Amino acid sequence: MTYPFLKGHGTENDFVLLPDHDGSIHGDLSAERVRALCDRRAGIGADGVLRVVRSENPDPAVEWFMDYRNSDGSISEMCGNGVRAFARHLLDEGLVDTTAPIHVDTRAGVKVVTQTEDGLLTVDMGEPKVFGQSEISVGAETWTALHVDMGNPHAVLFVDDLADAGDLLTPPVHDERVYPHGVNVEFVVEKGKRHVGMRVHERGSGETRSCGTGACAVAITAMLADDAPRGTTYRVDLPGGRLDITWTADNHILMTGPAVVVAKGETDL
Ligand SMILES: N[C@H](CCC[C@H](N)C(=O)O)C(=O)O
């Protein structure tokens, strides 16, 4: 039996989208099916899966739930690039009012998405949580990283050169007392005033070309290091593109960037 899928990405963090509005197609999506869909040789290939399900949220403005899975089949609370790709799909398919903000329900709460005049999407990522520091190691190198939570966990550290992170073919070593459920690790370099570059090793997906929640965690860390005033916007360059992050006076993080759906089809994976 085949079922519909779409392929989309936000700054080359790519996803298989699975329309499953009433939950009758995939039900409790298995980790095995997610791995098969995300396999870049035997499957469609992606960093993760976004299942598109009607939300049970009592707020009538919140119509859709983004069921995000990492490519290894694990579940994560939140996916920033994924929310933009998800909203782009809803807009493309006429599943939401194209003139109003889009409320996407996630495991980390409702995220509100608005369209910019130049065709980008801005996501209100909510309020970040900033904790302490811990050590992250790659091979013989060890750095001190800041713990930032965007609904999912991040460890952010500065390097002189992004190549210092090595090949990132294996997960950086983290302190399991700090991150008992694993962690997304971001490596950051300064590129100019309010301008940084980053690489990321994602929990459950490995190194990806981009990470929206990671870019938010990176911008927050840089803003704190610079003692930047609230309302400041930082540019974050990722291997897959650019995201602009603003920390508002009322402690919300806004992330702005592109999102596209590049293909649709049927699969029996
Ligand atoms: N790529 C996603 C992050 C996925 C986070 C996931 N790897 C986790 O286990 O938290 C983003 O754009 O925010």
Side-chain angles (χ1 to χ4, degrees), residues 13 68 70 76 78-81 152 184 202-203 210-213:
N13 187 196
Y68 172 72
N70 288 318
S76 172
M78 183 44 198
C79 178
N81 289 319
N152 58 355
N184 301 285
E202 282 198 35
R203 176 181 65 171
S210 177
C211 180
T213 51

Side-chain angles (χ1 to χ4, degrees), residues 2-245:
T2 66
Y3 53 85
F5 77 91
L6 300 99
K7 183 73 191 295
H9 75 87
T11 55
E12 300 181 7
N13 187 196
D14 61 341
F15 309 99
V16 173
L17 293 95
L18 299 179
D20 187 13
H21 298 177
D22 62 0
S24 61
I25 299 176
H26 298 288
D28 182 20
L29 187 62
S30 72
E32 182 187 9
R33 171 168 289 186
V34 169
R35 288 192 291 270
L37 288 164
C38 292
D39 186 313
R40 294 193 183 281
R41 292 290 180 274
I44 298 166
D47 294 327
V49 168
L50 310 175
R51 192 165 67 100
V52 185
V53 196
R54 286 214 174 272
S55 171
E56 295 176 2
N57 191 303
D59 180 347
V62 184
E63 298 176 88
W64 298 99
F65 172 70
M66 180 183 79
D67 177 6
Y68 172 72
R69 312 296 178 94
N70 288 318
S71 59
D72 70 352
S74 60
I75 289 177
S76 172
E77 304 83 353
M78 183 44 198
C79 178
N81 289 319
V83 169
R84 296 198 320 277
F86 189 92
R88 175 65 65 210
H89 165 62
L90 298 178
L91 288 164
D92 289 352
E93 302 294 328
L95 295 171
V96 286
D97 176 351
T98 57
T99 64
I102 303 160
H103 295 69
V104 178
D105 202 1
T106 77
R107 291 187 177 89
V110 176
K111 309 301 174 186
V112 180
V113 185
T114 52
Q115 300 179 67
T116 70
E117 288 173 3
D118 46 2
L120 301 177
L121 294 175
T122 296
V123 184
D124 182 341
M125 299 286 282
E127 299 188 8
K129 295 187 180 72
V130 181
F131 299 105
Q133 296 183 321
S134 65
E135 291 196 333
I136 294 286
S137 298
V138 172
E141 289 281 345
T142 297
W143 299 271
T144 299
L146 182 63
H147 181 180
V148 180
D149 189 286
M150 290 301 300
N152 58 355
H154 295 270
V156 182
L157 60 98
F158 284 90
V159 290
D160 297 327
D161 186 309
L162 292 175
D164 295 349
D167 61 21
L168 288 179
L169 293 177
T170 56
V173 177
H174 65 269
D175 185 335
E176 293 185 357
R177 296 165 300 177
V178 179
Y179 303 103
H181 304 296
V183 63
N184 301 285
V185 180
E186 288 85 18
F187 301 83
V188 193
V189 290
E190 299 275 358
K191 295 186 81 172
K193 185 173 172 55
R194 299 177 180 173
H195 182 190
V196 292
M198 66 174 273
R199 286 174 67 190
V200 58
H201 183 282
E202 282 198 35
R203 176 181 65 171
S205 297
E207 180 169 19
T208 60
R209 299 273 293 163
S210 177
C211 180
T213 51
C216 294
V218 160
I220 288 162
T221 304
M223 290 169 185
L224 291 171
D226 297 344
D227 195 21
R230 288 291 172 82
T232 308
T233 297
Y234 274 50
R235 169 178 170 172
V236 180
D237 289 348
L238 305 108
R242 168 182 172 173
L243 293 172
D244 289 296
I245 313 293

